Amino acid sequence: MKIRLNGDETHTQALDLLALVKARNLDPSSLVIEHNHTLVRQTSWAETRLKEGDTIELLSFVGGG
C-alpha cells in the first residue's frame, strides 16, 4: 500500500504501526509516531492499522548536549 512517511510517498507491506517500525529496523524505545496528525501511544502501535494514503511521521529523539 502507498503511504506518506515523513513527508515522502512510499510503499509498505506493514499492516500496522509496530510492523512498520520493525520493517524499518528502528528502535521503538526512542520513537514517537504521529498517525494522520494524531500522536499514537506506543502501547497502541500494534492495534493501529495502516490504510492506503495514511500519513505517518516517525520522530526519534536523540540525547546529548
Side-chain angles (χ1 to χ4, degrees):
M1 88 182 78
K2 190 168 37 176
I3 62 172
R4 183 162 292 278
L5 180 62
N6 290 348
D8 295 322
E9 201 169 272
T10 188
H11 287 86
T12 183
Q13 295 188 8
L15 298 178
D16 56 60
L17 291 177
L18 183 59
L20 181 65
V21 168
K22 289 181 176 178
R24 299 203 167 255
N25 295 319
L26 298 172
D27 177 7
S29 67
S30 64
L31 279 180
V32 172
I33 299 179
E34 186 180 282
H35 177 232
N36 294 331
H37 311 290
T38 301
L39 288 177
V40 179
R41 292 180 181 263
Q42 189 170 358
T43 55
S44 299
W45 290 358
E47 303 159 5
T48 305
R49 307 291 286 181
L50 295 177
K51 294 180 291 198
E52 181 83 19
D54 277 355
T55 299
I56 309 296
E57 296 289 331
L58 301 178
L59 309 167
S60 62
F61 295 95
V62 177

